[in-house]
């Protein structure tokens, strides 16, 4: 398990990732856009969001830095656009971390299965720190 960093951008994520890849001399990775999501009848994705970056990453000096744009209309505050990510192959461990982090905090996305993770959730803890907890299959 590793704790990683996630940085959100306000529509200029691709530009930022290209810049950081050049600065650190690392390979760019595949980009998943919001438009790549399977359609959800409960949520209509605005047309202007379809090409925005939902997820990409760079491996820099032995660590992983992850990136995303925020959806149009979502809150974006420069300087507060970073969250910590805990990846684990143990679903029960993730649920335990989430339960403790949400005490006195704010759930952004309750723990659930997504198309990219068997178990994923987002929470801001009581200190205002953003956390993303995500299951991964090491096989």
């Amino acid at each position: 398990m590793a704790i990683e960093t996630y940085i959100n951008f306000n529509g200029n994520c691709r530009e930022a990732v290209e810049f950081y890849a050049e600065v650190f001399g690392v390979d760019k990775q595949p980009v998943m856009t919001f438009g790549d999501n399977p359609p959800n009848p409960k949520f209509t994705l605005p047309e202007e969001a379809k090409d925005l970056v939902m997820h990409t990453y760079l491996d820099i000096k032995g660590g992983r830095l992850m990136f995303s744009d925020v959806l149009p209309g979502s809150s974006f505050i420069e300087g507060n656009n970073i969250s910590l990510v805990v990846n684990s192959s143990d679903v029960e461990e993730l649920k335990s971390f989430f339960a403790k982090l949400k005490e006195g905090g704010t759930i952004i996305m309750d723990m659930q299965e997504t198309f990219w993770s068997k178990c994923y959730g987002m929470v801001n803890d009581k200190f205002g720190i953003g956390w993303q907890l995500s299951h991964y299959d090491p096989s």
Side-chain angles (χ1 to χ4, degrees), residues 95-129:
K95 288 180 179 180
S96 173
F97 291 157
F98 190 86
K100 293 172 185 174
L101 287 167
K102 74 178 185 181
E103 290 178 20
T106 305
I107 296 172
I108 306 303
M109 182 175 173
D110 212 349
M111 294 297 284
Q112 60 190 274
E113 185 171 345
T114 65
F115 74 93
W116 70 86
S117 176
K118 181 177 172 181
C119 184
Y120 176 85
M122 293 174 63
V123 62
N124 289 341
D125 69 20
K126 63 184 176 183
F127 302 104
I129 303 299

Side-chain angles (χ1 to χ4, degrees), residues 41-112:
K42 295 179 184 175
F43 176 75
T44 304
L45 187 66
E47 193 63 37
E48 65 271 17
K50 290 184 178 177
D51 289 329
L52 292 177
V53 175
M54 186 174 107
H55 175 76
T56 191
Y57 65 93
L58 296 173
D59 289 324
I60 302 171
K61 304 293 281 175
R64 179 160 288 177
L65 191 56
M66 295 177 287
F67 305 88
S68 176
D69 281 310
V70 296
L71 283 170
S74 296
S75 177
F76 176 85
I77 301 170
E78 195 170 299
N80 290 344
N81 53 325
I82 296 175
S83 60
L84 301 174
V85 179
V86 177
N87 288 304
S88 175
S89 60
D90 184 337
V91 170
E92 293 308 313
E93 178 181 56
L94 289 170
K95 288 180 179 180
S96 173
F97 291 157
F98 190 86
K100 293 172 185 174
L101 287 167
K102 74 178 185 181
E103 290 178 20
T106 305
I107 296 172
I108 306 303
M109 182 175 173
D110 212 349
M111 294 297 284
Q112 60 190 274

